[in-house]
């Protein structure tokens, strides 16, 4: 089945550690996105990538890094510089034929302990 | 400053009645609007959209109305069902692309449909 796969679903991290969240899509979508959801805050854009080997900062990029070496993959690293990393992270993708509609993965819960 | 606002954090409706979720925006460059539905611990799913050349779009029980002069849109669900209970996000962007091509989301409205 085509879709967007995020892993792991749940992740615990100790303070001071980096952690990488995986996002893979087999939809052949060009653009990929990372959002963060906090209670009462809606969805905020962390990073996005329109094409391979190119990505741009979103509204809350500090403390995060990404790479886009392959069209189907857009991993997000939450670094120790991120002050409040505990959140629900959502990966999404879009292609020109979907217009302005983006499609989301199932999300990853990150908890810092 | 919030460009997309959902001023009601929650809404409770009786099963079979109409649910009306509201959304306001401030950026006059926005010309495409979407509604997403989200269950806890899941990714949002696309529900319905509307471009600024229309003032209404209907899909089954879901209808979105757009009032450009008021910079306001609303999602109507008729009749409401218990399975509609979820958080609904309004989103907007500009089809002109660039950074405006990225979706800007409201904070969501939690809809509870009671049997």
């Amino acid at each position: 089945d085509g879709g967007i796969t995020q892993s792991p679903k749940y992740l615990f991290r100790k303070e001071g550690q980096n952690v990488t969240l995986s996002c893979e899509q087999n939809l052949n979508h060009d653009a990929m996105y990372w959002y963060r959801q906090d209670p009462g805050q809606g969805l905020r854009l962390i990073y996005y990538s329109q094409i391979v080997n190119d990505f741009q900062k979103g509204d809350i990029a500090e403390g995060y890094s990404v790479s886009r070496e392959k069209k189907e993959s857009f991993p997000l690293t939450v670094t120790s510089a991120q002050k409040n990393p505990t959140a629900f992270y959502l990966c999404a993708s879009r292609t020109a034929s979907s217009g302005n509609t983006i499609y989301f993965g199932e999300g990853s819960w990150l908890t810092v302990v | 400053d919030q460009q997309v606002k959902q001023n009601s954090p929650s809404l409770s409706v009786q099963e079979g009645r109409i649910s009306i979720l509201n959304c306001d925006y401030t950026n006059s460059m926005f010309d495409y609007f979407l509604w997403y539905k989200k269950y806890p611990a899941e990714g949002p799913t696309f529900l319905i959209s509307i471009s600024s050349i229309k003032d209404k779009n209907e899909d089954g029980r879901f209808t979105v109305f757009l009032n450009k002069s008021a910079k306001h849109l609303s999602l109507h669900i008729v009749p409401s069902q218990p399975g509609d209970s979820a958080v609904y996000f309004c989103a907007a962007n500009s089809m002109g692309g660039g950074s405006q091509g990225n979706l800007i989301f409201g904070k969501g409205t939690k809809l509870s449909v009671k049997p």
Side-chain angles (χ1 to χ4, degrees), chain B residues 49-115:
Chain B
S49 63
I50 188 168
S51 74
S52 58
I53 62 173
K54 295 185 176 182
D55 54 18
K56 176 183 175 181
N57 188 25
E58 190 172 355
D59 184 2
R61 296 187 296 113
F62 302 92
T63 303
V64 56
F65 295 92
L66 176 62
N67 182 334
K68 291 186 290 294
S69 61
K71 294 191 177 67
H72 176 83
L73 64 153
S74 60
L75 174 68
H76 293 211
I77 305 173
V78 182
S80 301
Q81 300 173 353
D84 296 329
S85 298
V87 176
Y88 290 79
F89 288 100
C90 171
N93 71 350
S94 167
M95 294 180 79
S99 61
Q100 298 249 52
N102 295 325
L103 287 181
I104 306 298
F105 286 85
K107 293 188 175 183
T109 296
K110 183 177 182 180
L111 173 65
S112 299
V113 180
K114 302 190 182 305

Side-chain angles (χ1 to χ4, degrees), chain A residues 9-10 33 35 37 40-43 45 48 50 59 88 90 94 98-107 109, chain B residues 31-32 34 36 38 41-46 49 87 89 93-95 98-99 101-108:
Chain A
K9 178 71 174 179
Y10 299 95
Y33 305 81
Y35 286 86
Q37 186 191 11
Q41 290 294 321
L43 305 177
L45 183 63
Y48 64 100
Q50 303 281 18
D59 300 317
F88 190 52
L90 289 157
R94 179 176 81 176
S98 67
N100 281 12
T101 303
I102 65 172
Y103 297 92
F104 287 88
E106 289 298 301
W109 274 107
Chain B
D31 54 14
Y32 197 78
L34 307 90
Y36 284 83
K38 185 182 181 303
E42 293 184 10
T45 54
F46 169 70
S49 63
V87 176
F89 288 100
N93 71 350
S94 167
M95 294 180 79
S99 61
N102 295 325
L103 287 181
I104 306 298
F105 286 85
K107 293 188 175 183

